[in-house]
């Protein structure tokens, strides 16, 4: 059985640590000791978390986040 | 505010960010420029450019090859390369360029990272509570003078581990340095470098050397760049930078949000009755009333979208105008406290992203929530008496309010 899933990535070269993603979706993003973001686990999420990740992406001032939908 | 310059006739060819019309309400000016003249030029301050769209402001912020941060406050005297050697500049990292910038910034980042900053929340809440206690029983008072201006000063003085009674000294200096753009920059810097401030900071540093504590001063004394401890000038310079960059900016952001709530009863009531709106409301206040416009200098003659920029021309970087760009924000001039998509640039873009953004956002949130818990019903008691600061940081300096039962 397949379901809609999302692959979330943060481009470390673009991320400047605005911290919007971690504030919006702490289940999907975390920040390191310098305040830069990374995805939790391998960045694969489904359902409601996918929507939250998309909302985080739409709020990143540096356009550093991508969320890609796939069947998995 | 200055009022010393000649009045502006044509904003596309003669703009001045200290003109009373700009200070009172810059948004229509920026809207006109975005539509008609997105890269405006003025002979003032020895030659200044003003890109106003989100796209152009981003482009300049990201382009450290053509634009230097050696000087970020536009005024009549531009520092020469000899005064302020790039890439370090006078107040790293804000005045630094790559590659030095990254080192100076990295050294400070851990002290301002989100998790570190959230541990300061109780301190900020206590400070706000005490300030509100002092207003108890009065129906009319000035929220800028009695509340908003004290919060960031108290916070940074507390973070540095200085006695809280000394907060007044710092507020005075900040006002002088940032709002007197028509004073020569040397004079303004002298107020910091040779005045009482230097002796004061030296005393505090000595006390912390003798007895290290868990605060920002001891953090700076322990910090290293490239394996070396910082020279005392660098420690002092960093303290001054944190005060210059962190005080009137945050004061302005808190004040502008209170101004909005005091003049928009619908939004105030919605926020008072639905706490889930806080995160989007805070970001919307930051977007719509972004207080900070930065400056850059052009590094060498070059062509910017058909405009001949010359070495040492100023460039104003109005993040607040980028935040009102209709092509990026739907209904950009409407304040929507539940706006879902809001990639605003209030804290800048690129490598100089505000180092204090996590702190500023926390202060803004705590200050507004504490206010609304105490005074959910209030209004501007005299809207005509509200005064806004001029120059590159915009916020209410007088904000008379009336508390309604
Ligand atoms: C709402 C309040 C604030 C706003 C709107 C704001 C805005 C900004 C902006 C737009 C920049 C980018 C500068 C550039 O591109 O040249 C910046 C940089 C900076 N801000 Fe803030 N700021 C605020 C509060 C603070 C606070 C509280 C602190 C620290 C206590 C702080 C410290 C800094 C520093 C050190 C930089 C330079 C970072 C670098 O160059 O790498 N700011 N700020
Ligand atoms: S919102 Fe964007 S820039 Fe900010 S921490 Fe997240 S990924 Fe980085």
């Amino acid at each position: 059985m397949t379901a809609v899933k999302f692959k979330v990535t943060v481009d470390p070269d673009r991320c400047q640590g605005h911290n919007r993603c971690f504030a919006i979706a702490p289940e999907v993003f975390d920040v390191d000791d310098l305040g830069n973001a990374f995805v939790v686990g391998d960045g694969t999420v489904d359902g409601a978390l996918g929507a939250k990740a998309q909302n985080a992406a739409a709020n990143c001032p540096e356009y550093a986040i991508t969320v890609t939908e796939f069947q998995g | 505010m200055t009022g010393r310059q000649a009045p502006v006739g044509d904003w596309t060819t003669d703009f001045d960010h200290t003109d009373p019309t700009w200070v009172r309400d810059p948004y229509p000016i920026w809207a006109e420029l975005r539509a008609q003249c997105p890269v405006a030029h003025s002979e003032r301050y020895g030659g200044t450019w003003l890109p106003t769209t989100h796209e152009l402001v981003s482009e300049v912020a990201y382009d450290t090859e053509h634009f230097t941060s050696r000087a970020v406050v536009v005024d009549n005297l531009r520092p020469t390369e000899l005064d302020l050697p790039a890439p370090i500049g006078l107040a790293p990292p804000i005045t630094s360029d790559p590659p030095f910038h990254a080192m100076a910034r990295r050294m400070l980042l851990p002290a301002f990272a989100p998790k570190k900053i959230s541990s300061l929340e109780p301190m900020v809440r206590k400070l706000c509570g005490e300030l509100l206690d002092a207003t108890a029983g009065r129906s009319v008072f000035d929220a800028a003078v009695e509340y908003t201006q004290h919060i960031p000063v108290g916070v940074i003085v507390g973070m540095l581990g200085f006695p809280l009674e000394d907060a007044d000294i710092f507020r005075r200096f900040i006002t002088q340095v940032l709002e007197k753009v028509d004073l020569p920059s040397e004079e303004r810097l002298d107020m910091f470098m040779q005045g009482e401030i230097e002796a004061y900071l030296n005393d505090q540093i000595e006390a912390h050397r003798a007895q290290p504590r868990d605060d920002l001063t001891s953090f700076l004394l322990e910090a290293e760049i490239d394996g070396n401890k910082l020279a005392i000038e660098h420690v002092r310079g960093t303290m001054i930078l944190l005060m210059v960059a962190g005080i009137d900016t945050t004061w302005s952001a808190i004040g502008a949000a209170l101004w909005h709530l005091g003049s928009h009863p619908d939004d105030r009531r919605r926020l008072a009755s639905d706490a889930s709106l806080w995160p989007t409301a805070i970001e919307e206040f930051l977007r719509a009333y972004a207080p900070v416009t930065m400056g850059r200098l052009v590094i060498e003659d070059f062509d910017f979208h058909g405009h001949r920029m010359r070495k040492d021309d100023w460039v104003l970087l109005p993040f607040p105008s980028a935040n009102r760009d209709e092509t990026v924000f739907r209904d950009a001039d409407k304040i929507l406290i539940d706006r879902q998509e809001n990639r605003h640039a209030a804290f800048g873009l690129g490598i100089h992203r505000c180092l204090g953004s996590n702190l500023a956002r926390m202060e803004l949130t705590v200050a507004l929530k504490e206010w609304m818990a105490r005074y959910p019903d209030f209004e501007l008691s005299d809207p005509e008496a509200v005064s806004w600061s001029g120059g590159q940081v915009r916020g209410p300096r007088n904000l008379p309010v009336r508390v309604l039962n």
Side-chain angles (χ1 to χ4, degrees):
Chain A
M1 208 182 93
T2 62
V4 175
K5 290 192 173 173
F6 303 87
K7 175 77 181 172
V8 186
T9 60
V10 172
D11 178 347
D13 293 329
R14 295 193 78 102
C15 172
Q16 297 290 350
H18 286 258
N19 194 36
R20 299 289 304 280
C21 54
F22 177 55
I24 289 172
E27 308 90 337
V28 185
F29 303 91
D30 201 349
V31 284
D32 62 22
D33 290 344
L34 297 181
N36 293 322
F38 59 94
V39 293
V40 175
D42 72 351
T44 304
V45 296
D46 50 21
L49 281 188
K52 267 184 129 175
Q54 278 168 331
N55 184 234
N59 281 282
C60 172
E62 310 284 350
Y63 293 83
I65 301 169
T66 51
V67 180
T68 325
E69 208 178 300
F70 67 100
Q71 299 288 325
Chain B
M1 215 189 311
T2 71
R4 273 220 238 150
Q5 320 287 346
V8 168
D10 184 343
W11 291 101
T12 59
T13 56
D14 188 35
F15 62 83
D16 186 332
H17 62 297
T18 69
D19 185 273
T21 307
W22 174 306
V23 171
R24 206 176 315 114
D25 187 10
Y27 303 106
I29 299 171
W30 292 330
E32 184 193 319
L33 291 177
R34 282 193 306 270
Q36 288 168 23
C37 181
V39 185
H41 181 263
S42 168
E43 289 301 329
R44 298 186 188 224
Y45 305 99
T48 308
W49 297 93
L50 178 65
T52 40
T53 62
H54 187 278
E55 192 179 355
L56 291 166
V57 168
S58 311
E59 187 177 330
V60 174
Y62 288 133
D63 184 354
T64 54
E65 307 250 305
H66 292 104
F67 303 97
T68 171
S69 286
R70 184 156 52 90
V72 290
V73 180
V74 172
D75 68 14
N76 277 320
L77 268 198
R78 40 170 64 47
T80 71
E81 269 159 272
L82 293 174
D83 293 335
L84 299 169
I88 301 176
L90 204 65
I94 206 164
T95 56
S96 312
D97 292 329
F100 179 82
H101 170 266
M103 283 193 280
R105 180 176 168 93
R106 191 174 202 292
M107 181 266 295
L108 290 169
L109 280 171
F112 291 90
K115 292 168 194 173
K116 184 83 190 160
I117 290 302
S118 35
S119 69
L120 298 171
E121 226 181 282
M123 184 259 276
V124 179
R125 189 166 301 115
K126 180 162 171 286
L127 176 71
C128 294
E130 287 166 2
L131 291 167
L132 288 169
D133 288 347
T135 65
R138 279 183 293 157
S139 65
V140 176
F141 60 92
D142 191 323
V145 174
E146 300 212 29
Y147 187 59
T148 59
Q149 72 165 319
H150 299 284
I151 298 163
V153 194
V155 170
I156 195 70
V157 165
M159 280 176 79
L160 287 165
F162 298 170
L164 261 184
E165 309 85 80
D166 299 338
D168 276 349
I169 305 179
F170 299 112
R171 199 165 34 250
R172 196 153 38 80
F173 278 96
I174 303 314
T175 317
Q176 286 171 343
V177 171
L178 283 168
E179 289 184 11
K180 301 277 180 340
V181 274
D182 45 29
L183 275 186
S185 47
E186 275 104 52
E187 241 173 78
R188 292 192 280 121
L189 284 169
D190 277 353
M191 299 192 293
F192 272 134
M193 296 308 174
Q194 285 150 32
E196 54 179 316
I197 258 304
E198 176 170 328
Y200 178 87
L201 295 180
N202 285 344
D203 287 350
Q204 298 295 331
I205 289 170
E206 273 323 305
H208 279 77
R209 281 224 167 101
Q211 198 183 53
R213 348 193 160 153
D214 181 19
D215 61 24
L216 194 52
T217 300
S218 289
F219 172 88
L220 293 174
L221 291 172
E222 282 302 307
E224 292 182 356
I225 291 190
D226 250 5
N228 300 309
K229 290 255 161 50
L230 310 184
I232 186 159
E233 296 78 35
H234 193 159
V235 172
R236 241 179 8 233
T238 307
M239 292 171 162
I240 290 171
L241 168 65
L242 295 177
M243 292 187 275
V244 172
I247 294 180
D248 71 337
T249 49
T250 313
W251 169 16
S252 299
I254 303 170
L258 273 186
W259 173 83
H260 180 88
L261 292 172
S263 49
H264 297 77
D266 291 352
D267 283 345
R268 198 182 65 244
R269 286 186 203 113
R270 264 183 88 194
L271 206 47
S273 63
D274 182 358
S276 73
L277 286 170
W278 275 107
T280 48
I282 294 286
E283 298 307 326
E284 182 67 344
F285 296 146
L286 283 166
R287 180 190 71 85
Y289 305 114
V292 178
T293 291
M294 289 304 295
R296 296 286 190 268
L297 286 173
V298 175
I299 293 177
E300 57 190 11
D301 293 8
F302 88 115
D303 181 284
F304 183 76
H305 299 278
H307 303 276
R308 287 295 308 155
M309 291 193 169
R310 287 158 313 175
K311 178 174 168 24
D312 287 343
D313 280 350
W314 288 110
V315 182
L316 274 171
L317 216 46
F319 295 112
S321 173
N323 282 352
R324 298 276 187 133
D325 188 332
E326 288 283 348
T327 65
V328 178
F329 304 94
R330 201 180 313 146
D331 292 326
D333 273 331
K334 291 211 180 103
I335 318 305
L336 307 171
I337 59 173
D338 57 358
R339 190 183 286 276
Q340 292 301 313
E341 293 192 12
N342 191 355
R343 42 174 118 240
H344 68 76
F347 293 114
L349 291 167
I351 62 168
H352 291 280
R353 184 272 302 168
C354 177
L355 182 85
S357 66
N358 299 305
L359 175 62
R361 193 174 261 127
M362 184 269 278
E363 287 184 48
L364 179 61
T365 307
V366 173
L368 291 180
K369 282 188 176 171
E370 291 300 298
W371 175 282
M372 287 293 287
R374 193 80 62 110
Y375 299 131
D377 266 327
F378 72 102
E379 63 184 10
L380 303 183
S381 61
D382 183 0
E384 293 305 307
V386 175
S387 65
W388 297 83
S389 56
Q392 289 175 224
V393 181
R394 181 172 198 270
R397 295 295 176 261
N398 288 101
L399 189 62
V401 296
R402 177 180 299 111
V403 174
L404 312 163
N405 356 265

